[in-house]
Amino acid sequence: MQSINPGETDDLSVTFWGTRGTRMVTGDGFTRYGRKTICAEVRCGRRVIVLDAGSGLVPLGSAMMGNGIRAFDLLLTHAHYDHVEGIPFFEPFYDPGFSIGFWSGKLKGIDRTRDIVDGLMKEPYFPIRREKFRAGIRYHDLEDGASIDLGDGIMVYTMRLHHPGGATGYRIEYGGKRFAFITDTAHAPGQRDAALVSFLKDADAFAYDCSYVDEEFPRFASFGHSTWEEAERLRKEAGARHVFGIHHMPFRDDAALDRIAARMERDMANCTVTKDGMQIRL
Ligand SMILES: [Zn+2]
Ligand SMILES: [Zn+2]
C-alpha cells in the first residue's frame, strides 16, 4: 500500500473513537465517557490502521476528510452491530481518493469480508449497496492465526477469541512497540487463557473487553465478554504494561464508570478506563 498520509514519526499512537459495547447510549448520565461504539485508530508513523467500525468510525471518517489521510487499513474483530454499524455512514468509502485494505477473520456463517458489508448494506435494511462505494477497497479474508505484513515495518498478528459467532484479536507491532486489541472475548473464571497470555507477552499496551466486573460475571458468563479483574490478571501474567478497558456496557453511566476508575486507580494502577477521544502514545 502506498504511504501517502501526511506527517511522519516513528511513534505508535492510538486514538479511541468509540468505547461503548453492545449499543450506543444517550442521555444526561453519559456525557463524560462517550456514547459511541467500538472504533480505534492506530498510527504507525504515517500509516493508519483502524480497528473496528462501530459508530465511532463516523467521526473518524469526518476527521480523515479534513486531515489528509487517504490510505489506511481497517481490521474488524467481528460483525456484531456495535463493531460494524459505522460502515454505511463512513465518508471515505464513498470517496474515490481513498485507498483502503479491509480485513476480517472468519465468522459463523461468513468467510468473506465483503459478505459482511453486503449483509449490512441491502434492502430493506439500507438503501445503498456496497457497489456504491467509490474508494479503492481491497478485501482480505484472514485464516485463523494469520499474520499480516503491512509493509513499512508494520506487522499484525491475529488470534481467535472466545465469542459467540467468533471474533479476531489483533496485535500490532511497529518501531519496537506492541499494541493489542482484544474484544469481544470471554474467560473461564480461575483459568488463564495460555494462548492469550502468550499473544499479549510483553505488550506495551492492550485494549481489553472490560464489559463486566468479577462479582457480576457469573450472571453474564455465557455472553462472550470479560472483566476488569481478568484484564489485570492477564496483564500481570503476560508482563504487559498497560490495559485500556473498552466495551463499556450500556448500563454503565458516568457515575458507574467513575466508581470503576476509582477502583482501578486504587488496585490496578496500570488499567485505565477509556473514553471516546482518548489518545495514547506508546
Ligand atoms: Zn461488542
Ligand atoms: Zn460481539
mmCIF file of all heavy atoms in Angstrom, residues 20-22 38 78 80 82-83 163 183-184 209 225 247, ligand 1:
data_model
loop_
_atom_site.group_PDB
_atom_site.id
_atom_site.type_symbol
_atom_site.label_atom_id
_atom_site.label_comp_id
_atom_site.label_asym_id
_atom_site.label_seq_id
_atom_site.Cartn_x
_atom_site.Cartn_y
_atom_site.Cartn_z
ATOM 1 N N ARG A 20 -17.880 2.240 23.607
ATOM 2 C CA ARG A 20 -19.080 1.577 24.143
ATOM 3 C C ARG A 20 -19.267 0.195 23.533
ATOM 4 O O ARG A 20 -19.062 0.011 22.331
ATOM 5 C CB ARG A 20 -20.320 2.409 23.813
ATOM 6 C CG ARG A 20 -20.441 3.648 24.642
ATOM 7 C CD ARG A 20 -21.034 3.317 25.995
ATOM 8 N NE ARG A 20 -20.758 4.405 26.930
ATOM 9 C CZ ARG A 20 -21.006 4.329 28.231
ATOM 10 N NH1 ARG A 20 -21.539 3.248 28.752
ATOM 11 N NH2 ARG A 20 -20.719 5.335 29.016
ATOM 12 N N GLY A 21 -19.718 -0.741 24.341
ATOM 13 C CA GLY A 21 -20.054 -2.060 23.832
ATOM 14 C C GLY A 21 -21.555 -2.250 23.785
ATOM 15 O O GLY A 21 -22.305 -1.563 24.472
ATOM 16 N N THR A 22 -21.997 -3.163 22.954
ATOM 17 C CA THR A 22 -23.392 -3.584 22.798
ATOM 18 C C THR A 22 -24.213 -2.586 21.993
ATOM 19 O O THR A 22 -24.806 -2.922 20.992
ATOM 20 C CB THR A 22 -24.068 -3.857 24.160
ATOM 21 O OG1 THR A 22 -23.257 -4.790 24.873
ATOM 22 C CG2 THR A 22 -25.466 -4.427 23.975
ATOM 23 N N ILE A 38 -17.587 0.720 19.364
ATOM 24 C CA ILE A 38 -16.147 0.460 19.256
ATOM 25 C C ILE A 38 -15.486 0.882 17.934
ATOM 26 O O ILE A 38 -15.879 0.454 16.847
ATOM 27 C CB ILE A 38 -15.870 -1.057 19.443
ATOM 28 C CG1 ILE A 38 -16.458 -1.572 20.763
ATOM 29 C CG2 ILE A 38 -14.393 -1.367 19.340
ATOM 30 C CD1 ILE A 38 -15.786 -1.084 22.002
ATOM 31 N N HIS A 78 -15.128 -8.560 14.522
ATOM 32 C CA HIS A 78 -16.270 -9.388 14.137
ATOM 33 C C HIS A 78 -17.389 -8.470 13.683
ATOM 34 O O HIS A 78 -17.189 -7.252 13.567
ATOM 35 C CB HIS A 78 -16.699 -10.325 15.270
ATOM 36 C CG HIS A 78 -17.198 -9.657 16.526
ATOM 37 N ND1 HIS A 78 -16.503 -8.676 17.196
ATOM 38 C CD2 HIS A 78 -18.349 -9.839 17.238
ATOM 39 C CE1 HIS A 78 -17.189 -8.288 18.253
ATOM 40 N NE2 HIS A 78 -18.313 -8.968 18.313
ATOM 41 N N HIS A 80 -20.717 -8.074 14.897
ATOM 42 C CA HIS A 80 -21.854 -7.632 15.714
ATOM 43 C C HIS A 80 -22.039 -6.118 15.520
ATOM 44 O O HIS A 80 -21.084 -5.393 15.256
ATOM 45 C CB HIS A 80 -21.608 -7.970 17.192
ATOM 46 C CG HIS A 80 -21.772 -9.441 17.486
ATOM 47 N ND1 HIS A 80 -21.268 -10.043 18.617
ATOM 48 C CD2 HIS A 80 -22.400 -10.418 16.778
ATOM 49 C CE1 HIS A 80 -21.590 -11.336 18.599
ATOM 50 N NE2 HIS A 80 -22.262 -11.587 17.489
ATOM 51 N N ASP A 82 -22.351 -3.473 17.214
ATOM 52 C CA ASP A 82 -21.532 -2.462 17.890
ATOM 53 C C ASP A 82 -20.118 -2.373 17.322
ATOM 54 O O ASP A 82 -19.349 -1.499 17.723
ATOM 55 C CB ASP A 82 -21.502 -2.694 19.414
ATOM 56 C CG ASP A 82 -21.162 -4.117 19.810
ATOM 57 O OD1 ASP A 82 -21.494 -5.054 19.062
ATOM 58 O OD2 ASP A 82 -20.574 -4.298 20.902
ATOM 59 N N HIS A 83 -19.787 -3.252 16.358
ATOM 60 C CA HIS A 83 -18.461 -3.232 15.746
ATOM 61 C C HIS A 83 -18.498 -2.909 14.254
ATOM 62 O O HIS A 83 -17.442 -2.787 13.631
ATOM 63 C CB HIS A 83 -17.759 -4.580 15.991
ATOM 64 C CG HIS A 83 -17.647 -4.901 17.459
ATOM 65 N ND1 HIS A 83 -16.480 -4.737 18.169
ATOM 66 C CD2 HIS A 83 -18.581 -5.305 18.358
ATOM 67 C CE1 HIS A 83 -16.695 -5.051 19.454
ATOM 68 N NE2 HIS A 83 -17.961 -5.394 19.586
ATOM 69 N N HIS A 163 -15.966 -15.936 21.603
ATOM 70 C CA HIS A 163 -17.134 -15.061 21.493
ATOM 71 C C HIS A 163 -18.168 -15.744 20.604
ATOM 72 O O HIS A 163 -17.776 -16.373 19.609
ATOM 73 C CB HIS A 163 -16.700 -13.724 20.890
ATOM 74 C CG HIS A 163 -17.705 -12.635 21.031
ATOM 75 N ND1 HIS A 163 -18.159 -12.193 22.262
ATOM 76 C CD2 HIS A 163 -18.346 -11.881 20.108
ATOM 77 C CE1 HIS A 163 -19.038 -11.222 22.068
ATOM 78 N NE2 HIS A 163 -19.182 -11.018 20.780
ATOM 79 N N THR A 183 -11.141 -7.628 21.928
ATOM 80 C CA THR A 183 -12.561 -7.510 22.219
ATOM 81 C C THR A 183 -13.291 -8.146 21.051
ATOM 82 O O THR A 183 -12.793 -8.056 19.929
ATOM 83 C CB THR A 183 -12.964 -6.039 22.395
ATOM 84 O OG1 THR A 183 -14.273 -5.957 22.914
ATOM 85 C CG2 THR A 183 -12.915 -5.259 21.084
ATOM 86 N N ASP A 184 -14.336 -8.874 21.198
ATOM 87 C CA ASP A 184 -15.014 -9.299 22.403
ATOM 88 C C ASP A 184 -14.534 -10.707 22.737
ATOM 89 O O ASP A 184 -14.423 -11.527 21.839
ATOM 90 C CB ASP A 184 -16.511 -9.318 22.162
ATOM 91 C CG ASP A 184 -17.063 -7.959 21.731
ATOM 92 O OD1 ASP A 184 -16.284 -7.040 21.406
ATOM 93 O OD2 ASP A 184 -18.286 -7.815 21.670
ATOM 94 N N ASP A 209 -11.595 -6.230 26.538
ATOM 95 C CA ASP A 209 -13.041 -6.302 26.793
ATOM 96 C C ASP A 209 -13.299 -6.280 28.306
ATOM 97 O O ASP A 209 -13.227 -7.298 28.978
ATOM 98 C CB ASP A 209 -13.560 -7.601 26.162
ATOM 99 C CG ASP A 209 -15.040 -7.830 26.390
ATOM 100 O OD1 ASP A 209 -15.635 -7.159 27.258
ATOM 101 O OD2 ASP A 209 -15.595 -8.694 25.691
ATOM 102 N N HIS A 225 -18.047 -12.148 27.059
ATOM 103 C CA HIS A 225 -17.272 -10.958 27.428
ATOM 104 C C HIS A 225 -16.440 -11.234 28.673
ATOM 105 O O HIS A 225 -16.507 -12.316 29.238
ATOM 106 C CB HIS A 225 -18.210 -9.769 27.648
ATOM 107 C CG HIS A 225 -18.905 -9.358 26.395
ATOM 108 N ND1 HIS A 225 -18.251 -8.707 25.366
ATOM 109 C CD2 HIS A 225 -20.175 -9.550 25.978
ATOM 110 C CE1 HIS A 225 -19.092 -8.498 24.375
ATOM 111 N NE2 HIS A 225 -20.270 -9.003 24.707
ATOM 112 N N HIS A 247 -15.345 -1.429 25.702
ATOM 113 C CA HIS A 247 -16.613 -2.158 25.635
ATOM 114 C C HIS A 247 -17.445 -1.901 26.897
ATOM 115 O O HIS A 247 -18.017 -2.809 27.505
ATOM 116 C CB HIS A 247 -16.369 -3.665 25.438
ATOM 117 C CG HIS A 247 -17.443 -4.352 24.632
ATOM 118 N ND1 HIS A 247 -18.576 -4.868 25.216
ATOM 119 C CD2 HIS A 247 -17.574 -4.596 23.303
ATOM 120 C CE1 HIS A 247 -19.336 -5.411 24.271
ATOM 121 N NE2 HIS A 247 -18.750 -5.253 23.104
HETATM 122 ZN ZN ZN B 1 -19.297 -5.965 21.174
#
